[in-house]
């Protein structure tokens, strides 16, 4: 390790661990985000009026 300074190696390991942590967190939070999104959509649908619900159902209906 004559060519690499210890601080350069430390910074490299720090960046590598940071990127790995970011990717792992993003991967494992995917299910939580989907559940939260579904819950928010259900709450939004519960608040909408009959007219809004029918308009949304017409938009979502396949042609």
């Amino acid at each position: 390790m004559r060519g690499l300074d210890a601080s350069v190696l430390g910074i490299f390991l720090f960046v590598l661990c940071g990127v790995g942590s970011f990717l792992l967190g993003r991967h494992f939070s995917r299910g939580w985000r989907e559940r939260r999104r579904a819950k928010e959509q259900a709450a939004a649908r519960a608040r909408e009026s009959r007219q809004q619900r029918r308009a949304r159902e017409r938009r979502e209906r396949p042609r």
Side-chain angles (χ1 to χ4, degrees):
M1 292 190 67
R2 209 113 170 88
L4 280 180
D5 190 24
S7 63
V8 174
L9 185 61
I11 291 172
F12 175 73
L13 287 175
F14 181 74
V15 169
L16 188 66
C17 288
V19 169
S21 176
F22 170 77
L23 293 174
L24 279 174
R26 190 169 166 90
H27 173 73
F28 286 119
S29 71
R30 184 175 296 143
W32 176 80
R33 286 185 312 219
E34 288 173 0
R35 286 192 303 270
R36 189 179 83 184
R37 188 177 306 118
K39 188 176 179 181
E40 288 173 352
Q41 286 177 349
R45 286 182 177 180
R47 286 191 306 265
E48 66 189 11
S49 68
R50 180 182 297 165
Q51 183 180 9
Q52 290 170 325
R53 179 175 51 86
R54 288 184 177 164
R56 176 182 46 79
E57 288 170 351
R58 277 195 301 274
R59 282 193 312 268
E60 293 174 351
R61 191 174 313 148
R63 295 184 188 247

